[in-house]
Amino acid sequence: MRALLFLALLVSPLAAQTYQGKKLVEASLVADTTAIVPGRPFRLGLHLRMAPGWHTYWENPGDSGLATTFDLELPAGFEAGPVSWPLPQRLVEPGDIQVYAYRDEVLLVRTVTAPVTEAREVEFRAKSTWLVCEAICIPGKAELNLALPVAPDAEPANAELFTKFTALVPSGQAPPFALEWSRTSTGWNLSIRDAEGAKRADFYPFADNEHPVGHTAPSQISDGSATLAIPVADSAPVRGVLAVDNGERRGWVVESKTTISSPATQTPGGTTGFWTYLLFGALGGFILNLMPCVLPVISLKVFGFMRQAGDSRSAILKHGLAFVGGIFFWFLGLAAVVIALKSAGSEVTWAFQFQSPWFNFVIGAIVFLFALNLFGVFEIVLPGRAAQGIAEAGSHGGLAGSFTQGILATLLATPCTAPFLGTALGFAFAQTPAVIFAMFGAIAGGMAFPYLLLAAKPGWMKFLPKPGAWMERLKQFMGFPLAATLLWLLYVIGQQRGTEAVIWASASYLCLALAAWLYGAFLGPLSSTRAKTFAALGIALSLFVGLGYFAGNLFARTTIAAAEKSSPAQAGGISWIPYSEAKLQRLLAEGKPVFLDFTADWCITCKFNMRTAIDTAAVREGFARQGIVPMLADWTNSNPEITRKLARFGRVGVPFYLFYPAGRANDPVILPEILTEQIVLRSVGITDNTHRP
Amino acid sequence: MKTQILSFVAFALFAAACHAAPAPGEQAPDFTLTDSDGKSHKLSDFKGKVVVLEWLNHGCPFVKKHYDSGNMQKLQKEYTGKDVVWLSIVSSAPGKQGHMSREETNKTKQEKSAAPTAILIDEEGTVGRLYDAKVTPELFVIDGSGIVVYAGAIDDKKSTDPADVTGAKNFVKQALDETLAGKKVSEPRTTAYGCSVKYAN
């Protein structure tokens, strides 16, 4: 009964168009809310229901017909957005007359912004004209009124109708598949690639009086690919809607481009300038210095500076520059790799290296050997000792060491996508090689800044403690954070490939340790030739067993499946649903609000956010009360679907958080990368006053 | 192999035949049609004169807009007075909207005070397809040498409301004035708006 009353409130009286006693069109004005909440936007829809066989028209009617109009007369202070047109259908009449039209029913939606108002009720007036056609065409029009109460809170209304048609409104975002435009003698070819699961593609052009766009034959999609031929005079630029059917129809606004474009080439926002992004990149690079996985190496470097403080100024400057050179070498090398892979068409994303268990394994080996070196198991020729020899050779070796440390510091920094870095990289990945180089250079510069400063002003190193015997203890102590880093890498390997992979990686590392010990104990300048020979044999054997058998054989055989068996897809107390685009779209179509969390086990920021801001009692309770579906996109292992989804929002890294309010399938809220419980609660619309003290 | 080539050629010819829509700057395809008085007219016989082709269907709300407001008749009177040949063509198939017998056609012409040179009956839709006419009203202007100089809409106000005639930019008037003055048509192509031409199939 209550529902009926509400319905009566939220739908205007019907206006019917009749022709020779037959009802052709029923028009009504509907709202998506039970009441106006001052300051909160809501939507008004023009709902047209056509008699069977009759149709009304899209914004570009095609060869004949006329677009429906939907004008709103708004009270003072209210503002309405443009009309959102759902995807039309292509109807073909005799004589190859093609029209873009709606059969049965359509909802044209406009978003209305409500001001702060004292009124208790607000009345909206809509005027609409349309042309309804079967074999013949009849113009129709209606004036519709809808009164809505003003209230501090409101419930969704007509949700089914709004959800159904807003899902059909073309998205302004890039589609989740690759598009390629090429000019032809008669217009354009629009090629679709990697549209997995899609069956059919169609193109509806926007009207262009200067260069009329002809009709595009719909195309079946096979193996995710299709090509649409769009005829247009003089091969003028075209804009329109690409419709793809993969069980459900979805549309994207597309525009012809002379260059090849892929989903990753869409930039977020587009207003933030190049220099701002470079600044963000540099700032992000600087913050990378403070990341827990970099800190041990940084401390080592500081330790290096301290040792060199007694050397000549020019030597210090050289070491500093070598270290900085290492940082730049890594970032620019990474940029080169990214550009190479990008042009090879691969999906390349920030921290993508950590999605490869082999990458983690190798980094783990390096970190472990470094730790053993600090513990004193073996020693590489130290710059200090070398300095006692030929001065030139000594400084050369030292510089190489500084250079390597620069590389290592940055190598360890990549998994921690610092704040700003996500946005900056999202921008950079969408750009030309030159810009990618500039961006990575900016990050390198930001990270190198403190060392450059110390190298240029070695005097400031006075503030650092004096060298002494304690340095040896400090050096040994530094091995422990490195060992902890190894633990973290092993944890990631475990998440990727299961417990077995961790065991085999560790066994491999043990063999490496044995080899390192043999090297340190028996290959020194004081050992006899006999000892050296045995030691070399032992090293070869343990490397063979460690790398060849444990790593190359057993570790290589572990699979993702093992990891999934050993770790359930749960990350805490919230019952997360694993992400898939199909599942997400289904939930959104049902009108459910969805919180989508993009995470990875190698992402420390993600873990921190989860622990402190998401998986908390208040958020859990809020999600449950408001029926918000928590969905987890786990990017620990490479997952093209998640990569594409991130790319649609201009992101190439995690963490990333989206909230889809009920009925807003095309317009999710983007949360910041660093979360607090308050931010999460506010973003998903859980207000504090629900928790009474 | 041979049949493949043949079928391709056949397809190409078919495709060419289908898309013979004369664009501005091209020769207007010749045709012969009988008018509502039973008189035969051949386009090429009007060589030396400016010719207007107007696709007509009196049942169509867009056509009604221009006849009920008197806009179309005014144009017809003004330009036939300037020695322009105005041919209204009805391509509606028998049994479909807009199709009329000769008597009905003449009766309607009188009722509406229409003043074309002739109303041509094209119930097979042959000429309609020859010109790729899609809607009513759709207009073509052909110059004295038989070249299409304008193809498209009557004006720039896409609606069925007769009130919209005032204030609209009339593309046909502009094309005729420019052609009669020996000038190049400034907007030779627009997108016609209206009801679909009611072809048989």
Side-chain angles (χ1 to χ4, degrees), chain A residues 63-66 93 97 135 137, chain B residues 61 97 134-135 158 194 196 198:
Chain A
D63 287 332
S64 67
L66 198 62
E93 292 180 39
I97 295 167
C137 300
Chain B
Q97 190 192 51
K134 299 235 155 128
V135 301
K158 301 184 178 188
S196 55
K198 309 303 176 191

Side-chain angles (χ1 to χ4, degrees), chain A residues 81-430:
Chain A
V83 175
S84 294
W85 296 85
L87 286 177
Q89 269 183 289
R90 179 188 300 275
L91 305 179
V92 183
E93 292 180 39
D96 193 35
I97 295 167
Q98 301 194 16
V99 297
Y100 310 133
Y102 301 109
R103 276 189 167 148
D104 303 320
E105 63 166 351
V106 67
L107 185 74
L108 304 183
V109 175
R110 295 183 71 174
T111 300
V112 179
T113 320
V116 176
T117 174
E118 294 289 303
R120 295 183 59 195
E121 192 184 78
V122 178
E123 188 166 351
F124 296 94
R125 293 156 64 87
K127 272 189 190 172
S128 173
T129 62
W130 62 80
L131 186 73
V132 63
C133 298
E134 189 201 27
I136 60 166
C137 300
I138 319 281
K141 61 179 175 187
E143 288 192 20
L144 303 156
N145 294 319
L146 177 65
L148 286 174
V150 178
D153 214 343
E155 299 281 320
N158 301 305
E160 203 179 325
L161 188 65
F162 276 91
T163 307
K164 176 180 168 184
F165 283 100
T166 46
L168 287 169
V169 172
S171 155
Q173 306 272 4
F177 41 79
L179 294 182
E180 195 176 307
W181 291 87
S182 53
R183 275 183 206 274
T184 65
S185 57
T186 54
W188 293 87
N189 272 352
L190 172 55
S191 298
I192 297 165
R193 282 181 288 112
D194 308 328
E196 285 147 35
K199 297 182 194 92
R200 198 164 178 274
D202 204 351
F203 178 78
Y204 301 95
F206 291 135
D208 184 341
N209 282 328
E210 299 270 308
H211 304 278
V213 184
H215 299 294
T216 301
S219 171
Q220 298 299 319
I221 300 178
S222 60
D223 294 332
S225 299
T227 298
L228 297 166
I230 304 168
V232 58
D234 313 326
S235 295
V238 288
R239 274 186 82 232
V241 171
L242 173 66
V244 168
D245 190 334
N246 53 1
E248 281 167 332
R249 293 182 85 211
R250 289 286 176 269
W252 291 270
V253 175
V254 293
E255 195 169 358
S256 62
K257 288 190 187 107
T258 37
T259 49
I260 292 167
S261 84
S262 70
T265 62
Q266 297 298 319
T267 54
T271 46
T272 317
F274 174 70
W275 295 108
T276 316
Y277 278 103
L278 281 193
L279 185 72
F280 276 159
L283 215 66
F286 181 74
I287 290 172
L288 283 181
N289 284 316
L290 308 173
M291 287 289 129
C293 43
V294 196
L295 224 50
V297 185
I298 302 309
S299 313
L300 269 179
K301 193 53 213 165
V302 172
F303 170 74
F305 277 132
M306 283 159 55
R307 202 180 51 232
Q308 289 154 17
D311 294 347
S312 73
R313 280 189 65 145
S314 70
I316 291 167
L317 186 64
K318 274 182 193 163
H319 276 277
L321 287 176
F323 184 81
V324 166
I327 294 176
F328 273 93
F329 177 81
W330 170 255
F331 275 104
L332 296 183
L334 199 64
V337 171
V338 163
I339 290 161
L341 288 177
K342 205 170 120 88
S343 59
S346 305
E347 279 165 329
V348 177
T349 46
W350 184 238
F352 65 96
Q353 313 98 321
F354 284 88
Q355 287 182 348
S356 159
W358 281 107
F359 181 86
N360 291 325
F361 174 82
V362 172
I363 298 294
I366 293 170
V367 166
F368 185 49
L369 285 176
F370 217 95
L372 291 177
N373 173 252
L374 291 174
F375 288 143
V377 171
F378 73 101
E379 305 218 330
I380 311 167
V381 183
L382 285 172
R385 202 182 290 174
Q388 293 172 345
I390 309 159
E392 197 189 341
S395 75
H396 183 81
L399 286 178
S402 295
F403 185 76
T404 315
Q405 283 175 8
I407 295 178
L408 191 73
T410 41
L411 194 68
L412 290 164
T414 41
C416 314
T417 306
F420 315 115
L421 217 55
T423 318
L425 281 163
F427 176 76
F429 269 84

Side-chain angles (χ1 to χ4, degrees), chain B residues 1-158:
Chain B
M1 193 60 196
K2 219 169 195 175
T3 49
Q4 270 182 2
I5 292 171
L6 275 178
S7 59
F8 175 76
V9 170
F11 174 78
L13 284 174
F14 176 76
C18 275
H19 294 282
E26 288 173 15
Q27 189 74 34
D30 200 10
F31 61 85
T32 307
L33 280 177
T34 309
D35 72 11
S36 55
D37 295 323
K39 202 178 149 199
S40 182
H41 296 275
K42 193 176 183 196
L43 180 67
S44 49
D45 289 347
F46 298 113
K47 205 143 200 186
K49 289 188 179 184
V50 174
V51 179
V52 174
L53 305 182
E54 172 217 348
W55 261 265
L56 175 69
N57 164 4
H58 277 301
C60 165
F62 294 91
V63 174
K64 281 185 183 154
K65 166 188 172 187
H66 292 286
Y67 276 92
D68 291 355
S69 62
N71 184 38
M72 196 69 87
Q73 298 93 316
K74 207 177 122 205
L75 280 177
Q76 290 167 345
K77 281 184 188 126
E78 181 183 345
Y79 290 98
T80 49
K82 291 181 182 171
D83 209 22
V84 168
V85 176
W86 190 293
L87 302 173
S88 303
I89 302 175
V90 181
S91 292
S92 298
K96 294 216 171 179
Q97 190 192 51
H99 181 267
M100 290 178 188
S101 68
R102 284 182 196 171
E103 293 72 34
E104 284 172 324
T105 306
N106 280 334
K107 203 175 145 228
T108 317
K109 183 183 163 188
Q110 277 212 319
E111 278 170 13
K112 306 249 177 194
S113 317
T117 310
I119 301 179
L120 307 180
I121 314 289
D122 177 38
E123 52 183 39
E124 306 277 322
T126 341
V127 176
R129 285 166 206 269
L130 191 62
Y131 278 78
D132 201 22
K134 299 235 155 128
V135 301
T136 53
E138 183 165 344
L139 292 106
F140 292 83
V141 175
I142 301 160
D143 72 5
S145 57
I147 302 291
V148 176
V149 291
Y150 176 77
I154 177 162
D155 64 21
D156 64 350
K157 285 265 173 78
K158 301 184 178 188

Side-chain angles (χ1 to χ4, degrees), chain A residues 48-64:
Chain A
L48 297 183
R49 296 203 299 164
M50 282 71 81
W54 292 76
H55 57 262
T56 54
Y57 294 89
W58 187 52
E59 56 181 316
N60 172 13
D63 287 332
S64 67

